[in-house]
Amino acid sequence: MTPLERAGLLAYWDDTRLRGGDDWYDEIDRALRAASVAVRFISQDFIASLPARREYSHSDSVGRR
């Protein structure tokens, strides 16, 4: 992925960009709406997490599958 990033052909966002005090829902919403593609990495912990399930559902609602 690094060569694609350096060439300006790829950019990614993940939740490590969230900082204390950020409205995580708004930040995730903004990132999903700006994305052409959303890639989901799903683990057992993810499936068990209510906020993560909401994020997954929301990405579907804005057409990012």
Side-chain angles (χ1 to χ4, degrees):
M1 289 186 2
T2 301
L4 295 174
E5 285 181 276
R6 287 183 183 148
L9 299 172
L10 173 71
Y12 72 92
W13 184 94
D14 65 36
D15 64 359
T16 62
R17 294 184 185 202
L18 296 172
R19 295 180 312 219
D22 285 348
D23 184 329
W24 67 268
Y25 183 85
D26 286 343
E27 294 297 322
I28 291 169
D29 180 58
R30 190 177 352 270
L32 285 170
R33 290 180 186 277
S36 298
V37 175
V39 177
R40 300 171 181 154
F41 295 96
I42 300 172
S43 67
Q44 288 180 328
D45 291 336
F46 176 90
I47 292 168
S49 164
L50 179 59
R53 288 195 317 260
R54 286 181 180 156
E55 178 184 334
Y56 185 88
S57 177
H58 182 63
S59 69
D60 282 343
S61 73
V62 297
R64 305 301 187 260
R65 295 176 184 229

